[in-house]
């Protein structure tokens, strides 16, 4: 049975039982890849290695907001 056939069967069963339809295969793949990359970067920071990518940019934005404004 292919992924598409399994998905069609799951949708059919969900509708028969009045449940919500499961997400289509591949619908959240890119979000999963981003979350895995963020987790890897977070673990690197915990291990004492410098942050890079999205984690470093988010930290930079946070620190920029916390700096006092000079008149």
């Amino acid at each position: 049975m292919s992924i598409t056939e399994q998905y069609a069967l799951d949708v059919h069963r969900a509708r028969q039982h009045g449940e919500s339809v499961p997400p289509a295969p591949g619908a959240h793949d890119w979000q999963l890849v981003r979350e895995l990359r963020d987790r890897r970067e977070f673990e690197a920071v915990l291990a004492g290695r410098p942050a890079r990518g999205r984690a470093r940019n988010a930290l930079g934005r946070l620190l920029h907001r916390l700096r006092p404004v000079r008149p």
Side-chain angles (χ1 to χ4, degrees):
M1 181 179 298
S2 71
I3 293 173
T4 306
E5 292 169 338
Q6 182 64 47
Y7 175 69
L9 183 61
D10 291 342
V11 168
H12 177 70
R13 286 181 183 161
R15 287 187 179 157
Q16 280 185 334
H17 295 288
E19 300 171 355
S20 62
V21 179
H28 302 290
D29 288 351
W30 286 114
Q31 181 63 29
L32 176 65
V33 169
R34 282 188 215 102
E35 290 174 5
L36 289 172
R37 183 179 37 201
D38 288 346
R39 177 67 182 188
R40 187 181 59 217
E41 290 173 1
F42 176 71
E43 289 175 357
V45 170
L46 291 180
R49 296 189 304 270
R52 289 185 288 198
R54 288 172 22 125
R56 183 178 181 140
N57 291 338
L59 182 60
R61 286 191 304 269
L62 178 65
L63 292 175
H64 181 71
R65 286 184 208 146
L66 296 177
R67 289 183 187 150
V69 177
R70 296 180 183 161

